[in-house]
Amino acid sequence: MNRNLFQNIGLFSARTAGFVFLVILLFVQCRKDEEVVVSMGTPIVLSSSNSELVLSQKDYDKNVFSLNWTRGTNHGTGSSIAYSLVIDKTGNNFAQGKVFDLGKGVFEKTFSAGKLNELLLGEWNIEPGTSTEFEAKVKADVIKSGVDDGVSEVVRFKITPYEPVSSVLYLVGSATPNGWDISNATELTPSATQQGVFSYQGPLSKGSFKFAVSRDGCWCQNFYTKNSDDDSKMVFNRGGSGDDIQWQVAEGGNFKLLVNLLDLSISLERLAGPIYTSLYIIGDASPSGWNIADPKAFTQSAADPFVFTYEAVLTPGDFKISTFKGNWCDSDWINPSQPDQVLTATDFIITEGCNGPDNKWKVTADTQGRYKITVNLYKNTIKIEKVMLYLIGDGGPNGWNINAPTPMTLKDGVYVFEGELGADNPTGEFKFSKFKGDWCDGDWIIAAGPDQDIRNTSYKIRHGCDGDDFKWKLKDGDAGTYRITIDLEKEIISIVKK
């Protein structure tokens, strides 16, 4: 065979292989951006997943609508193509169109219910509940200059947006911690995973409540009120209109509320026990000072765990009550409803960490003294009562008259009695009360044993009518003038004949 023939065949094969390699290289290079399209005139076909769609916030995170299109053409140039999607209300001729630049190799645009709803309300100011027709088109931008771009036919569809429920919710009413003070209404906690779901766990007292969507002082704002036919259902009360039917709490206590604004449902569960297991006094009017790391603790009642008491001498200054110790913003505070609150007020508010009004009770030079503070988390009440001591018994001046026992005088934190013992009954008895009125109304200071000698000053505390009822007893020759001092802080009693 002719050698030139073989040379020509080899040269041809080499050139062919080189050409094939170049084509493959170009093909692989284009694949990095987009497959090569060699069609010379296929139009882009655009379609929508729905011709008509009503959005619901229940589907907030779900993909509910999509637009899909076929590939554009680069007219055989091997150039890559970038796609853009335009949506506008029908009739605008895309003058106010929302453009989505999607880049190369993208043939679908998907929308969640939440994002699509935000777009309709914000971009085109569509009224919630109004069905509106939109149109869309896709443009194929061929990257190589001089090559015609492609545009799809217009596709039309209708969408109805929803009105988003409030992202915040507040409790207001006589049953709530802050009562009808809407500027301090109790905020519910939004769910981290569910749109429109809120919860509250804490005290509710006897009374009523409803839900507000802001702390705006105008009662013409939107509320959620009770469905007249079903306690577990709510009504959206727009602008304060409609029937203002509220939920009723027959008996105060600790409750858990779960509210779903999307299906207008509410569950109310009464919980066992108080929301807090410890209370502490803090402030320069109290023995704690401002030492949040180690404040003085209240005593929780064994008989009623909702009741906490604290007793001490209060001096001029301020105080409030914490549910914790450690750092200032760690947990909840019990504050008065007003700044510089007088000690006779019987209500309180609960504030979270460092977020609420930092109101305090005010002790003045005129009101200083020893006080017993009683907090009832079941009833949401506080009593701040001056502690008086009374001598009672037939060995003292007023006998057994519990309505008018002999008062002791508080001097420098110490209670003092100066007067006659045994004047009416030389061998009479006596004990001390912190109250007057009825025999079981409060605490007693009683002798440590029966018929205790007045020179023995050991004592113990009796609550109401529970337990022993020991008394000090005068013996022959004991009658006379005495000075009795009781230091409750140091737990010392002195009985001295003058």
Side-chain angles (χ1 to χ4, degrees), residues 235-281:
V235 174
F236 181 54
N237 196 326
R238 186 185 298 276
S241 62
D243 295 329
D244 187 21
I245 304 174
Q246 299 160 21
W247 288 270
Q248 301 293 320
V249 179
E251 221 175 11
N254 194 28
F255 289 86
K256 181 179 180 180
L257 274 172
L258 188 64
V259 179
N260 189 324
L261 300 185
L262 299 185
D263 59 18
L264 295 175
S265 67
I266 175 175
S267 66
L268 179 63
E269 177 187 359
R270 186 186 182 90
L271 302 176
I275 186 173
Y276 308 115
T277 57
S278 298
L279 296 182
Y280 304 90
I281 192 168

Side-chain angles (χ1 to χ4, degrees), residues 65-356:
F65 182 75
S66 64
L67 290 164
N68 302 268
W69 52 94
T70 59
R71 297 176 186 274
T73 178
N74 56 18
H75 302 283
T77 63
S79 177
S80 59
I81 302 173
Y83 296 94
S84 59
L85 170 69
V86 188
I87 303 175
D88 201 355
K89 287 195 298 184
T90 299
N92 283 346
N93 198 28
F94 295 101
Q96 300 174 18
K98 174 69 175 177
V99 179
F100 300 89
D101 291 317
L102 302 172
K104 304 169 186 176
V106 179
F107 307 100
E108 181 182 47
K109 175 63 179 176
T110 302
F111 298 88
S112 67
K115 294 301 181 183
L116 186 55
N117 198 72
E118 291 170 9
L119 190 62
L120 268 61
L121 298 184
E123 188 75 22
W124 294 289
N125 198 29
I126 306 298
E127 286 291 325
T130 302
S131 177
T132 303
E133 186 176 71
F134 291 85
E135 54 188 11
K137 63 182 179 179
V138 169
K139 178 183 178 184
D141 180 16
V142 181
I143 303 302
K144 187 175 181 178
S145 62
V147 179
D148 291 339
D149 298 326
V151 180
S152 72
E153 293 289 332
V154 172
V155 169
R156 292 182 175 84
F157 46 87
K158 292 182 179 180
I159 304 179
T160 303
Y162 60 82
E163 180 175 2
V165 298
S166 177
S167 60
V168 293
L169 198 64
Y170 301 91
L171 264 175
V172 66
S174 59
T176 69
N178 299 335
W180 288 107
D181 183 4
I182 197 166
S183 63
N184 290 318
T186 302
E187 186 171 3
L188 282 81
T189 303
S191 170
T193 58
Q194 291 180 278
Q195 284 276 322
V197 175
F198 298 84
S199 62
Y200 166 79
Q201 184 169 324
L204 292 175
S205 58
K206 181 180 180 180
S208 64
F209 68 88
K210 59 182 177 178
F211 300 99
V213 299
S214 78
R215 287 178 169 147
D216 189 341
C218 174
W219 293 94
C220 55
Q221 65 165 285
N222 296 337
F223 289 93
Y224 286 90
T225 54
K226 189 175 80 69
N227 186 307
S228 60
D229 299 323
D230 190 344
D231 285 359
S232 66
K233 294 294 183 180
M234 302 188 300
V235 174
F236 181 54
N237 196 326
R238 186 185 298 276
S241 62
D243 295 329
D244 187 21
I245 304 174
Q246 299 160 21
W247 288 270
Q248 301 293 320
V249 179
E251 221 175 11
N254 194 28
F255 289 86
K256 181 179 180 180
L257 274 172
L258 188 64
V259 179
N260 189 324
L261 300 185
L262 299 185
D263 59 18
L264 295 175
S265 67
I266 175 175
S267 66
L268 179 63
E269 177 187 359
R270 186 186 182 90
L271 302 176
I275 186 173
Y276 308 115
T277 57
S278 298
L279 296 182
Y280 304 90
I281 192 168
I282 187 83
D284 56 0
S286 76
S288 297
W290 292 110
N291 184 5
I292 188 60
D294 189 27
K296 301 295 183 183
F298 280 64
T299 299
Q300 187 176 22
S301 170
D304 186 349
F306 285 88
V307 175
F308 293 78
T309 58
Y310 176 78
E311 186 178 311
V313 173
L314 301 180
T315 56
D318 301 319
F319 73 90
K320 54 183 178 177
I321 299 168
S322 72
T323 63
F324 63 98
K325 57 181 178 179
N327 294 311
W328 290 102
C329 302
D330 276 355
S331 192
D332 295 344
W333 292 89
I334 292 177
N335 300 87
S337 58
Q338 302 295 328
D340 297 333
Q341 183 71 281
V342 296
L343 302 183
T344 53
T346 59
D347 64 320
F348 63 80
I349 61 174
I350 294 177
T351 60
E352 180 182 353
C354 294
N355 297 323

Side-chain angles (χ1 to χ4, degrees), residues 24-39:
I24 293 173
L25 180 63
L26 287 172
F27 178 76
V28 171
Q29 182 66 32
C30 287
R31 285 284 293 188
K32 292 181 181 179
D33 294 329
E34 183 183 350
E35 295 181 18
V36 173
V37 179
V38 295
S39 171

Side-chain angles (χ1 to χ4, degrees), residues 72 186 219 272 404 408 427 429:
T186 302
W219 293 94
M408 301 181 73
T427 58
E429 301 172 313

